[in-house]
Amino acid sequence: MYCIIARKFNITDGMRLSRLFSSKYKFQKTFKTSLGAHGPLVDGPDYTFLDGRETPLGSSKRKRANEQLQVSSKVLQLLNETNFAIESHKRRQEEVKQRRQAILDSKLKPKNSKKLT
């Protein structure tokens, strides 16, 4: 950044100050509540109808609801896939165990147990 001095005023300092104030203004203007904030002032609608009609959802609330729906459906899908993988693994382990037992049973046969009298 170049430092330009004109009539004993440093322009870069003015630019820094303007950036500082504009960033604070932007922060105050776009300040959002924390993710865990809830209560009647945060959760409720901005206005109500006097005749008792329900207030329509705002665009951001509708967007959040859609995002939560997508996230919950994805979680359920992944949970079902995980349960399927666990069950198939158990089934495969049982099949291997039964196959091994069948091999051992076929190899180890008792000797002739007829008694000679």
Side-chain angles (χ1 to χ4, degrees), residues 67-82:
E67 287 175 357
Q68 288 298 320
L69 183 65
Q70 290 174 356
V71 167
S72 63
S73 64
K74 185 70 174 176
V75 165
L76 288 175
Q77 176 191 357
L78 293 174
L79 184 62
N80 289 336
E81 289 176 5
T82 304

Side-chain angles (χ1 to χ4, degrees), residues 8-51:
K8 298 184 182 179
F9 291 106
N10 191 342
I11 295 174
T12 55
D13 289 339
M15 291 169 59
R16 286 185 193 140
L17 286 176
S18 67
R19 277 193 217 139
L20 176 69
F21 287 123
S22 66
S23 65
K24 281 186 181 179
Y25 175 73
K26 286 178 187 175
F27 175 74
Q28 290 172 352
K29 188 176 179 184
T30 61
F31 178 72
K32 307 255 192 283
T33 59
S34 65
L35 294 176
H38 58 85
L41 294 177
V42 177
D43 296 337
D46 293 335
Y47 61 92
T48 56
F49 293 109
L50 294 177
D51 59 356

